Amino acid sequence: MEKEPIIALDFPTWQETEPFLQPFENESLFVKVGMELYLQNGPSIVENLKKMNHRIFLDLKLHDIPNTVQQAMKGLAGLGVDMINVHAAGGQKMMAAAREGLEQGTSGQRPILLAVTQLTSTSEEQMQTEQLIPVSLEESVLHYAKLTKAAGCDGVVCSVHEAAKISEVCGTEFLKVTPGIRMKEDDANDQKRVADPQLARTLGSSMIVVGRSITKAEQPLVAYQKVKQLWGGM
Ligand code: C5P
């Protein structure tokens, strides 16, 4: 289990990100850069965070034809990020191509490769009516997890509520990275399948991703330390 909760840096620019990170200067963080920050600022964001010695999860959720994803991953591997992802809905071949691209583009340690199963903002009803997937949400997530493993990825992004079942099917070493984390007193916002850090630990998440519960808190450092404590079982 990864000790540090991953902070989702969902900010539009470095100008907003830098002051947010200021109170954390004595912490070694694991941060997530998503499409909001990366697509508006580019690779300089990763360089800035690496200079601060933070570990980086580049959450771009790639989903395209295998060759395009492979070439994109080859380039992104050169940034030296620690973890990166694709959408499992892109299929086994696309996921295997993503891994190959990462291997081709990495000189040292290959970044951890994850695949998103179903977004934690997706409800079962929405999945069935909009994606026309006629099974339960859990079945869909488990199916994607098995496909992800078969493609040679290191784990999945899923909700806390599916983590235990995924461990049963894919093994405990297979990573379950879980967003949709809320403190009991927080608003769920657009997330549907939420859980608090304690429950995430109990149900077998490998890493938790926390955004607004920290970034929108009045005192983000205090909120971070509280999440870290609950997650670590202290
Ligand atoms: O603010 P909040 O804690 O809801 O942020 C969750 C973060 O995790 C966001 O950056 C979102 O893009 C990401 N994410 C998610 N569900 C997934 C994959 C990623 O919420 N399945």
Side-chain angles (χ1 to χ4, degrees):
M1 186 181 100
E2 176 69 44
K3 280 203 325 298
E4 324 293 339
I6 301 173
I7 306 178
L9 296 177
D10 292 324
F11 297 106
T13 66
W14 183 245
Q15 280 65 46
E16 275 94 349
T17 312
E18 198 178 20
F20 167 80
L21 288 171
Q22 212 111 62
F24 294 90
E25 60 189 355
N26 296 321
E27 303 271 343
S28 161
L29 301 178
F30 201 155
V31 295
K32 181 174 89 65
V33 174
M35 47 175 114
E36 180 179 359
L37 194 53
Y38 189 80
L39 295 181
Q40 294 182 81
N41 302 271
S44 67
I45 284 291
V46 174
E47 282 162 30
N48 293 345
L49 291 166
K50 277 177 74 79
K51 275 189 210 140
M52 296 170 135
N53 290 320
H54 297 319
R55 281 179 297 157
I56 302 161
F57 170 20
L58 189 58
D59 176 26
L60 296 181
K61 302 186 183 76
L62 300 189
H63 185 173
D64 208 315
I65 59 169
N67 182 57
T68 300
V69 171
Q70 182 170 343
Q71 298 312 322
M73 282 297 184
K74 194 171 159 185
L76 290 170
L79 297 176
V81 297
D82 301 274
M83 192 154 84
I84 198 156
N85 61 359
V86 294
H87 262 291
Q92 190 172 335
K93 271 201 181 136
M94 186 206 75
M95 291 190 273
R99 185 182 158 140
E100 212 175 313
L102 283 182
E103 278 162 4
Q104 290 167 334
T106 314
S107 45
Q109 174 109 5
R110 169 178 69 75
I112 295 170
L113 176 61
L114 305 172
V116 177
T117 53
Q118 288 286 350
L119 293 169
T120 41
S121 55
T122 303
S123 67
E124 182 166 277
E125 191 204 353
Q126 200 183 344
M127 181 197 78
Q128 291 171 344
T129 56
E130 295 183 10
Q131 299 177 33
L132 279 188
I133 295 180
V135 297
S136 71
L137 195 113
E138 186 180 277
E139 279 173 273
S140 168
V141 169
L142 285 178
H143 169 68
Y144 278 144
K146 282 187 256 179
L147 207 63
T148 300
K149 191 170 182 201
C153 299
D154 305 297
V156 286
V157 183
C158 62
S159 99
V160 167
H161 305 284
E162 294 120 21
K165 268 272 162 61
I166 294 174
S167 287
E168 269 174 39
V169 175
C170 298
T172 48
E173 296 301 300
F174 190 65
L175 297 172
K176 280 84 48 187
V177 177
T178 60
I181 302 294
R182 290 290 179 274
M183 303 297 273
K184 289 204 171 80
E185 60 275 17
D186 290 343
D187 199 325
N189 306 113
D190 54 347
Q191 297 283 22
K192 297 278 174 11
R193 287 145 46 229
V194 297
D196 63 62
Q198 245 164 332
L199 186 62
R201 172 166 46 83
T202 315
L203 295 181
S205 296
S206 319
M207 309 183 198
I208 55 171
V209 176
V210 188
R212 286 162 286 187
S213 288
I214 295 174
T215 55
K216 301 276 188 235
E218 257 171 54
Q219 293 179 290
L221 179 59
V222 175
Y224 172 74
Q225 282 161 342
K226 194 168 169 201
V227 169
K228 193 172 162 182
Q229 245 178 16
L230 290 171
W231 168 236
M234 290 177 275

